[in-house]
Amino acid sequence: MKTILFYFVTLSAILVNSIAFGAGADSFRNVKIGKSLKDLKNHNPLITHRYSADPGVMIYNDRVYVYSTNDGDVDLNNKNVNGNTYDHIKSLNVMSSSDLVNWQDHGSINVAGGAAKWAQYSWAPCATYKKINGKDKFFLYFANNANGVGVLTSDSPTGPFTDPIGKALISRDTPNCGDVTWLFDPAVLVDDDGTGYLYFGGGVPNGMDANPKTIRVVKLGSDMISLAGQPQLIDAPYVFEDSGINKIGNTYFYSYCTNWTGGQYGGANIAFMTSNSPMGPFKAGSSCFKNPGEFLGNYGNNHHTIIQFKNKWYIFYHTEWLNKIVYGDQKGYRTGHLDEFPVTNNNFPKAAVGTIEGVKQLEVVDGTTLNYASSFAWQSGIKIKGQGEVTTVEYPSGGWTGISQVALGDAKSITIKASSQSGATIKICTGNENGNVLGYVEIPSGGNLKEVTGDLTNATGTQDLFLVASNNVSIESWKLNGNGNGNGNGNGNGDNTPCWSESLGYSCCTFCSPIIYSDESGDWGVINNEWCGIPSNCKSTCKGAQGYPCCTKSCDSIYQDGDGDWSLENNNWCLIDKSIC
């Protein structure tokens, strides 16, 4: 049945790597530490290493996922870049957070010409999920320029995404859509009864500023990838673009960006309408969020999503604040921001305000769980490699990331999963990138991804934590080895139980690994060809079958037989561990 060879590694065959520690501070003697593009007291923009426009937001499992138009990486070395014409945009960004300050970058989804081979562009996404056949299915809608709306699906909020229909969901041939000026900017709602609705459109026909009549709403099929009716008009006054939809109580709030004429709503502001039905008719309301230029001095097109998360309301929007900082002028490259959006008495407010300070952090990061390096609040010089649930951070010499409000747990050491072709030192400090040094971790040369541990001192309390690189290095994750006394969460799937194997000279497994070997000390697993002790509170009883191991993460069934459901990890067959799925 299986054609992929699994190499079983025995304990006697693994050599313990001998890493010479001690370079420490000397590694930074001639290193110029980079500067942050946003002050450490600020939380806007959400990220500063990549431009990310048109934020479409989804909440899933107490985590906020933001999908955005990929305006490109921030390039500090190119000050003479041309203005953003949008015709280069063929991918979408995705990032997530549970605390709204530290954002995990999941990379860029290759959409136009990739997952959606028919599409030329990918702009202004929105996303949602729905349980179909007993399993959560994720739907990502996007604009193909201004000529239609496509849909991608996935079994995970971070992908991989595929095209289920091989063509546009909304096109010029869709009834009642041929005369829509801009057939783009989707927003999606799954109502309480599980029915989906898609909102889209925009543009201003000549002489029709006050009533452009270019917005449509359509009921979706139960599969969320088909239409269950004909699109209907939403007669939004002074509309320009940027549909949004919320349900508060029994009232549906349709929100949008006004055109530059604006009338009583103001030019390029966010206005709203209300209805007792998702299909309308909608009654005109008022402006609820001014153009960000009113607050930050950087006028441009306005694009938003409004959400309720952990009992508070928030508005995501984009500005050109960052591209003006980088280039000294606005060139059309936009980046996502987030501020509070007070909702009282089930009504949208008139006084939401955009800021550089941003929102307050909702929870402390527990440093003693597995934390991904791609989750941070501030950075300098880094790039993200990969796309999906786990990505790696590429640090140059002097590059760094800063994680806001980490419970340090009286940690005595830190374990970093990293690789470096020429070798590098990671400085661990608090306060800022040049702050109080807790310790150093020496990453060996050779380019092999492995876990390396370094000692820490005075790692107490809750502080901003910084990882600073002396040389080019790629980091996937980090974990403090301590008491785990934080009141928040990490951003990975690690276990914070003190591990019995450390006293034997072996690290803890960073997740509940399949049991490879058991002795009088406990259960052993293998991660990255290194033995590790499986924490005692891992409840998995999966032993593998037919000489193949249990899956460590995968839950996607590819084959079934008498032993159970099978999947693939690292090109090897593995038996799906029901305790982690």
Side-chain angles (χ1 to χ4, degrees), residues 340-495:
E340 290 190 17
F341 190 83
V343 173
T344 57
N345 300 322
N346 286 347
N347 287 304
F348 275 10
K350 299 180 181 179
V353 175
T355 71
I356 290 298
E357 291 79 15
V359 301
K360 294 181 180 178
Q361 188 166 336
L362 296 185
E363 62 188 18
V364 171
V365 175
D366 186 350
T368 62
T369 64
L370 180 70
N371 287 273
Y372 292 122
S374 57
S375 180
F376 49 83
W378 311 280
Q379 64 81 31
S380 179
I382 65 93
K383 291 185 179 297
I384 298 296
K385 183 179 180 181
Q387 196 281 312
E389 178 187 2
V390 182
T391 55
T392 58
V393 181
E394 304 289 328
Y395 297 73
S397 175
W400 54 268
T401 53
I403 307 97
S404 178
Q405 293 298 284
V406 179
L408 301 178
D410 296 318
K412 303 303 180 186
S413 64
I414 182 172
T415 299
I416 295 179
K417 187 174 183 179
S419 65
S420 177
Q421 195 64 45
S422 303
T425 300
I426 306 301
K427 178 172 63 175
I428 315 300
C429 53
T430 57
N432 58 62
E433 67 275 19
N434 295 302
N436 180 47
V437 177
L438 304 184
Y440 298 90
V441 180
E442 306 295 336
I443 309 301
S445 61
N448 297 316
L449 186 66
K450 60 179 59 181
E451 293 181 345
V452 184
T453 298
D455 293 335
L456 300 178
T457 57
N458 299 319
T460 61
T462 297
Q463 303 186 60
D464 297 338
L465 187 71
F466 294 78
L467 310 182
V468 187
S470 70
N471 198 9
N472 295 344
V473 63
S474 175
I475 301 180
E476 180 181 292
S477 63
W478 59 272
K479 178 179 178 291
L480 301 177
N481 304 309
N483 297 328
N485 60 353
N487 61 359
N489 298 311
N491 49 51
N493 59 349
D495 191 302

Side-chain angles (χ1 to χ4, degrees), residues 141-199:
Y141 303 87
F142 68 95
N144 177 36
N145 195 327
N147 290 311
V149 175
V151 59
L152 303 177
T153 61
S154 177
D155 293 328
S156 163
T158 58
F161 285 91
T162 58
D163 185 347
I165 60 177
K167 61 181 180 179
L169 176 63
I170 302 290
S171 72
R172 296 284 173 193
D173 296 328
T174 303
N176 201 23
C177 292
D179 60 346
V180 174
T181 307
W182 295 335
L183 208 54
F184 68 178
D185 284 9
V188 64
L189 169 73
V190 176
D191 211 345
D192 300 334
D193 63 358
T195 303
Y197 299 88
L198 193 68
Y199 304 75

Side-chain angles (χ1 to χ4, degrees), residues 110-124:
N110 182 16
V111 178
K117 298 190 182 306
W118 57 270
Q120 291 180 296
Y121 306 101
S122 57
W123 300 353

